[in-house]
Amino acid sequence: MTRAWILPVLLLLCGALVASGRAAGGSPGAAVALLLLFVLLAAAASPLVFPRSTGAAEAGRRAAADGRPVVYWRPGCVFCLRLRVRLAGRAHRAHWVDIWRDPEAAAVVRAATGGDETVPTVVVAGRAHVNPDPAWVREQLTR
């Protein structure tokens, strides 16, 4: 779980260093703007912007019962963030599984991608789709 927070914490530390340098150099406005930029980047790279993750087994059971897609993702993945943003309010309809929190989920993704942990991997009706188009995933959520 701590691995998911490494990138956001590094972004916050870098932002604090850059902002303090700007503030010391006499540019407090630029320091605030840069710090805000780094805080936003850290938030986007964190697990906070994703719906609550479940385990792979639980997500599989739920998907079998309700027919919704299972989205395997990991924090810091820009493609996962892109999918999350493009799904907007519909994202909660899918079952989200963080592969860094669940070794079984990582194994599911490796089996679907030929040994890689490529995310997002979306499983619909038992069939895996690696880094699918967000519009296609949105269609699957409305069914």
Side-chain angles (χ1 to χ4, degrees):
M1 184 159 127
T2 57
R3 167 166 68 164
W5 290 99
I6 290 174
L7 180 60
V9 168
L10 285 175
L11 285 168
L12 287 175
L13 290 174
C14 288
L17 285 172
V18 170
S20 63
R22 289 289 181 162
S27 301
V32 170
L34 283 170
L35 184 59
L36 181 61
L37 175 67
F38 276 92
V39 166
L40 290 173
L41 287 172
S46 77
L48 298 176
V49 296
F50 291 89
R52 187 173 179 93
S53 286
T54 61
E58 179 64 22
R61 280 191 295 275
R62 289 181 185 179
D66 61 19
R68 293 180 182 178
V70 177
V71 179
Y72 293 95
W73 69 285
R74 66 172 172 75
C77 169
V78 294
F79 300 106
C80 298
L81 182 61
R82 178 182 137 233
L83 177 63
R84 169 64 184 98
V85 168
R86 297 275 306 272
L87 293 179
R90 296 184 189 119
H92 71 280
R93 295 181 188 164
H95 303 291
W96 292 78
V97 182
D98 181 352
I99 67 168
W100 280 359
R101 294 181 104 187
D102 185 356
E104 182 184 343
V108 168
V109 171
R110 283 192 303 271
T113 61
D116 298 323
E117 290 185 358
T118 306
V119 288
T121 297
V122 180
V123 176
V124 178
R127 187 161 179 239
H129 305 271
V130 179
N131 198 11
D133 181 34
W136 178 83
V137 178
R138 204 171 28 247
E139 273 180 33
Q140 304 309 307
L141 292 173
T142 57
R143 290 184 180 179

